[in-house]
Amino acid sequence: MEVHFTEHVLEKLEKHLRLLGISEEDIVATIKKPDDLVYDTFMDRYVALNYSRNLAVVYEKEDDKIIVVTAIYSSRLRSLVERRRMRGRWI
């Protein structure tokens, strides 16, 4: 499956995520082999999680493509995931 990046995530990579050691390869690896995969019921998107990199990758599936919408870096990723699951946003 092809992975495409939106302008938003490319800008975020350039401005913030690279400074934290996150690359496009990390994002693709997180999608291909996530520690956990959840579904965002509010935004109708998938969220691939990589706890060792503190990374959540939000993406959509479209035909044979994966479109990366954004990537979230959080030192409190487990807490973020837990809160969104408790509220029913991520299942």
Side-chain angles (χ1 to χ4, degrees):
M1 218 178 255
E2 283 184 54
V3 178
H4 297 269
F5 294 83
T6 62
E7 282 298 315
H8 168 76
V9 76
L10 291 173
E11 287 175 15
K12 194 167 185 178
L13 264 167
E14 193 64 34
K15 291 180 182 178
H16 305 288
L17 296 175
R18 287 196 206 286
L19 299 173
L20 298 166
I22 304 296
S23 66
E24 288 180 27
E25 291 80 17
D26 293 320
I27 290 173
V28 172
T30 298
I31 292 169
K32 289 186 176 182
K33 194 171 180 186
D35 293 329
D36 200 358
L37 181 64
V38 295
Y39 182 73
D40 186 327
T41 60
F42 289 8
M43 301 302 293
D44 194 29
R45 294 177 173 151
Y46 296 94
V47 183
L49 303 166
N50 181 330
Y51 293 112
S52 64
R53 304 288 289 165
N54 295 320
L55 182 63
V57 178
V58 180
Y59 67 93
E60 299 175 350
K61 289 182 180 179
E62 188 176 289
D63 300 321
D64 287 342
K65 294 186 285 188
I66 290 176
I67 301 167
V68 180
V69 177
T70 194
I72 302 164
Y73 179 91
S74 175
S75 60
R76 296 191 276 173
L77 183 61
R78 288 185 188 274
S79 176
L80 172 74
V81 172
E82 186 178 313
R83 281 192 318 271
R84 291 191 179 180
R85 279 186 165 155
M86 283 181 14
R87 292 181 181 144
R89 178 169 179 174
W90 288 0
I91 57 171

